[in-house]
Amino acid sequence: DAGITQSPRHKVTETGTPVTLRCHQTENHRYMYWYRQDPGHGLRLIHYSYGVKDTDKGEVSDGYSVSRSKTEDFLLTLESATSSQTSVYFCAISELRGGSYEQYFGPGTRLTVT
Amino acid sequence: DAKTTQPNSMESNEEEPVHLPCNHSTISGTDYIHWYRQLPSQGPEYVIHGLTSNVNNRMASLAIAEDRKSSTLILHRATLRDAAVYYCILTKTLGTSYDKVIFGPGTSLSVIP
């Protein structure tokens, strides 16, 4: 258990509304990630962070923004939610073990955009 | 980014060994081979990783080909709880720097009672 929590765990929102998902970790990990998972697509990287205020884009970053103002929190924002953003969102951290980094995932947030 | 290729699905009988293959012919010398699995309705979980030598832990074994262009995750005795999607990915670690991680579609393992 890497001390990762996600909030909310479930959310239903309407098209066009802003939505922010929160990932919180308690163990001072440097690297944090946001993924989305959809049937037939597997896990796709949205954005990741390699330190406070240091973020970069992943494979599917369009329509999403992130912020990391403190080590423990990594926020994912959908500025104007669309139905195509209905998905399960996973946050992850990386921890260096055995010469390489292992990823640990949060429990996920199920987002439905109607 | 170096890519991996895995079969879409595999089946195994309960209590039998399972060998999950992964091809990574464009692997570079600094790439580690990682395996994760995702149980239904859960986030992925780390299984094992290695660089050149075979590795064992309480969950599984990882056999890495001598040329490192392929690897095999071995579950010694499949249980119903091992039914999951298994992902083989390559990660690059250079000192304390870490790159983004890209997951492929993985192999969906079914375990037959």
Side-chain angles (χ1 to χ4, degrees):
Chain A
D1 184 359
I4 306 166
T5 57
Q6 292 184 232
S7 58
R9 293 293 313 280
H10 301 271
K11 186 170 182 66
V12 180
T13 192
E14 293 185 348
T15 299
T17 59
V19 176
T20 295
L21 308 182
R22 180 184 185 230
C23 178
H24 179 77
Q25 52 118 341
T26 59
E27 297 183 6
N28 208 35
H29 296 291
R30 177 183 174 190
Y31 296 96
M32 299 184 75
Y33 305 79
W34 276 108
Y35 292 88
R36 63 176 287 175
Q37 188 167 39
D38 307 289
H41 286 281
L43 277 162
R44 292 184 289 174
L45 181 66
I46 306 172
H47 283 277
Y48 65 107
S49 170
Y50 45 96
V52 173
K53 297 186 179 176
D54 290 323
T55 64
D56 204 350
K57 296 179 179 180
E59 308 168 83
V60 289
S61 58
D62 288 347
Y64 301 94
S65 62
V66 289
S67 65
R68 193 160 176 210
S69 59
K70 45 187 180 176
T71 301
E72 57 265 35
D73 289 324
F74 191 31
L75 304 180
L76 177 71
T77 298
L78 292 64
E79 302 289 349
S80 178
T82 68
S83 58
S84 65
Q85 293 175 312
T86 292
S87 187
V88 179
Y89 292 85
F90 289 101
C91 172
I93 60 91
S94 296
E95 187 171 86
L96 182 63
R97 286 187 185 176
S100 183
Y101 281 83
E102 299 170 13
Q103 285 207 321
Y104 294 89
F105 287 79
T109 294
R110 184 173 295 276
L111 176 67
T112 302
V113 183
T114 61
Chain B
D1 295 329
K3 293 187 67 173
T4 64
T5 305
Q6 301 176 251
N8 290 332
S9 61
M10 291 184 63
E11 270 187 1
S12 172
N13 294 318
E14 194 177 9
E15 298 187 7
E16 303 250 331
V18 182
H19 291 236
L20 297 161
C22 181
N23 288 315
H24 27 79
S25 58
T26 59
I27 192 170
S28 73
T30 53
D31 286 331
Y32 280 79
I33 302 159
H34 282 242
W35 284 82
Y36 288 80
R37 73 177 186 180
Q38 187 172 20
L39 303 171
S41 301
Q42 295 187 26
E45 63 176 345
Y46 167 82
V47 177
I48 200 166
H49 79 269
L51 184 62
T52 56
S53 304
N54 294 345
V55 184
N56 300 297
N57 66 20
R58 64 175 179 80
M59 289 181 71
S61 296
L62 176 59
I64 301 173
E66 198 169 330
D67 64 5
R68 301 212 322 131
K69 293 185 176 183
S70 65
S71 61
T72 303
L73 179 70
I74 302 166
L75 307 178
H76 295 287
R77 194 164 160 271
T79 69
L80 296 178
R81 196 192 173 275
D82 292 321
V85 177
Y86 287 79
Y87 300 97
C88 168
I89 62 174
L90 304 180
T91 66
K92 203 177 291 292
T93 301
L94 303 172
T96 58
S97 174
Y98 186 54
D99 204 356
K100 59 190 176 187
V101 177
I102 305 295
F103 282 75
T107 297
S108 179
L109 175 68
S110 301
V111 179
I112 303 166

